Amino acid sequence: MAEVIIARDQAEAGDIAASIIVNQIITTPSTVLGLATGATPLSTYAAMAKSVREHAVDVSGVRGFALDEYLGVPAERPQSYRSVITREVVEPVGLSPEHVVTPRGTGAKIGSSGAEYEASISAAGGIDIQILGIGSNGHIAFNEPGSSLASPTRIKALTEQTRRDNSKYFDSPDDVPTHCITQGLGTILRARHIVLLGFGRHKARAIAAALEGPVSATIPGSIIQLHPNATVILDEAAAAGLANTAYYRHARRSALPAMMT
């Protein structure tokens, strides 16, 4: 069972997640992070940046792998996830840009990009902490409902709903790419620690299905139940649909001291 932490709000959730990640970096300066984009992890990245500055944490050896990238969008365009990761994570936290990688969404032999990315993650020793959000339909990364639970990094068609949701970042809806390259569910499961964040009542149904429903390709986020070391950090609204909140709160209060675990 995942550790479920119910925070007061996004700011507290970001502080909790950042504490987990920064402590990992302090312990292992060569930590490899899996980096999510979107609004959900922003409070975590802001708290990380603050903690790194205040405690003079050396992040020069930290490496990062983005979850996904649009197909056909050059890295220098502001809508590319390479640009987003640079603005939201690399620059605020002080990571070395050359140590942060996104899937290749342009260039020759694009069909081999997924295998290349899998090889790069393996060459780095695998991902230590994978940061995730979850969509209102249960998707994680660009793994929409129906994705194989064992899927590797690969090219996927974006749903029309996803394209509509992302159109606010482009000049017009027609400019939104039709395809992406995304880490697969199997790739995500290989991370040594998963930190999944969820905020807002509109996420409550998907989170309840992912954490307490059956493991199913219909709810890609349900793979969290298969992982031996997963931490789920929610605000009160996102936790509203959970049946076992009393237990999660009790388990949090009753956590064993570190020396006993």
Side-chain angles (χ1 to χ4, degrees), residues 174-186:
D174 290 340
D175 291 337
V176 182
T178 58
H179 289 76
C180 67
I181 179 164
T182 181
Q183 283 191 35
L185 298 178

Side-chain angles (χ1 to χ4, degrees), residues 7 9 15 31 34 49 51 66 81 92 110 136 149 162 166 172 202 210 226 229 231 234 248:
D9 51 30
D15 287 342
T31 287
S51 181
Y81 284 125
I110 196 64
S136 57
L149 302 184
T162 295
N166 289 359
S172 77
H202 65 295
L226 302 176
N229 186 21
T231 303
L234 312 170
Y248 302 140

